[in-house]
Amino acid sequence: MNLEGKTLFITGASRGIGLAIAKRAAADGANIVIAAKTTEPNPKLPGTIHSAAEEIRAAGGHPLPLPVDIREEAQVLEAVQRAVAAFGGIDILVNNASAISLTDTEHTPIKRYDLMNGINARGTFLCTQACLPELKKSAAAGRNAHVLTMSPPLSMKTHWFAPHTAYTMAKYGMSMCTLGHAGEFRKYGIAVNSLWPRTAIATAALQMIPGVDIGACRKPEILADAAYLVLTSDAREARNSGNFHIDDELLAAHGQADLDRYSVTPGTTKFVPDFFVD
């Protein structure tokens, strides 16, 4: 099973992990809806929906760059309509867009709290809701419909909340969508899963966080390859839905034990760990 001819709606696909997942699917000849905010170049954060479209096209895919703020319902609904008009439907939703602020309660402005929850939890729910009618059609047509959300396993341990309660709440909101929607959509034959990295991933956004050693991170391609395994699994099988996958565990389970090619610095054994992995 591959992604040839499938249509993926990927939020935050203008750069980083979302773009890496898009390019991996593009290698099969997939249609990629790039639903992201950035339309003009930013010297601090490279990548726009248009530059992403060029990279996806070069990788063999068929891009549709759409300016979308996933906090805005009208923009999301319009993007879904344009995707259907261009490609005939939507087979896969990747909820990748996310906002982060590693601040404690005292130093988290409510505006920042609203931003994180608006993009992470609410945005994930909204995009899933908006794509659901098309995903149901895809599943009914036997096209292997999936929802994949880039969010961590749920854990009620204090140490994941105490340093940045607002961010953890917002990120876990995405994971709760996976938990609920996996059960809710099972009757339709739509698989719903989460995927999360064990290590920090070297993206332009990460480089904006002070003190992170990029050389001790892995490349976004590890998540792209792990996502591909999820999205090409049989959505109708119960074991393929409701999972909170960790990238290296999933790859190892599929026989990919040597992960050195994903290291920013080949030979690295001590990586910067990501949040939320016990």
Side-chain angles (χ1 to χ4, degrees):
M1 188 179 296
N2 61 38
L3 300 178
E4 182 180 4
K6 299 293 178 64
T7 297
L8 287 74
F9 189 106
I10 307 178
T11 66
S14 59
R15 62 176 66 92
I17 294 165
L19 178 56
I21 293 172
K23 288 166 68 175
R24 180 64 184 87
D28 282 357
N31 307 316
I32 310 293
V33 181
I34 307 162
K37 285 175 59 179
T38 309
T39 58
E40 299 296 330
N42 182 335
K44 293 183 178 180
L45 205 57
T48 69
I49 58 173
H50 306 297
S51 63
E54 292 175 3
E55 292 187 47
I56 289 166
R57 190 175 292 109
H62 310 284
L64 177 63
L66 299 177
V68 182
D69 182 341
I70 65 168
R71 293 172 294 174
E72 301 295 334
E73 182 181 13
Q75 291 186 29
V76 173
L77 293 175
E78 181 182 358
V80 169
Q81 291 174 355
R82 292 181 64 181
V84 173
F87 299 126
I90 296 171
D91 303 298
I92 292 167
L93 167 65
V94 179
N95 289 307
N96 168 70
S98 185
I100 182 172
S101 180
L102 302 177
T103 48
D104 61 18
T105 298
E106 185 177 4
H107 298 98
T108 304
I110 290 302
K111 186 176 182 179
R112 177 62 60 171
Y113 176 96
D114 289 342
L115 174 70
M116 288 191 288
N117 280 276
I119 293 175
N120 299 5
R122 184 179 181 277
T124 293
F125 185 91
L126 171 58
C127 289
T128 305
Q129 182 185 66
C131 289
L132 182 57
E134 295 305 319
L135 293 170
K136 288 167 67 175
K137 292 176 186 176
S138 174
R143 292 180 58 79
N144 206 41
H146 280 267
V147 176
L148 179 62
T149 298
M150 309 309 291
S151 66
L154 289 164
S155 171
M156 292 295 104
K157 294 184 178 179
T158 301
H159 65 268
W160 293 131
F161 286 84
H164 36 69
T165 299
Y167 172 63
T168 300
M169 291 171 65
K171 205 65 195 178
Y172 279 1
M174 298 174 73
S175 299
M176 286 191 284
C177 284
T178 292
L179 187 64
H181 290 155
E184 184 181 352
F185 301 166
R186 183 165 284 121
K187 60 181 176 287
Y188 304 128
I190 302 169
V192 184
N193 296 282
S194 278
L195 175 63
W196 193 245
R198 182 176 302 280
T199 73
I201 301 298
T203 63
L206 185 72
Q207 294 179 44
M208 297 179 70
I209 300 176
V212 177
D213 181 4
I214 295 296
C217 299
R218 283 176 170 153
K219 303 173 185 176
E221 285 72 21
I222 189 171
L223 283 169
D225 287 346
Y228 185 85
L229 292 173
V230 176
L231 299 177
T232 55
S233 66
D234 190 342
R236 295 166 297 183
E237 292 190 17
R239 64 189 177 95
N240 292 332
S241 188
N243 300 296
F244 290 88
H245 295 293
I246 301 298
D247 55 359
D248 58 0
E249 289 181 359
L250 181 60
L251 290 166
H254 285 78
Q256 300 181 45
D258 184 2
L259 306 179
D260 192 55
R261 65 191 179 94
Y262 299 116
S263 301
V264 172
T265 306
T268 299
T269 57
K270 293 184 178 180
F271 294 95
V272 176
D274 207 342
F275 301 108
F276 309 122
V277 181
D278 292 315

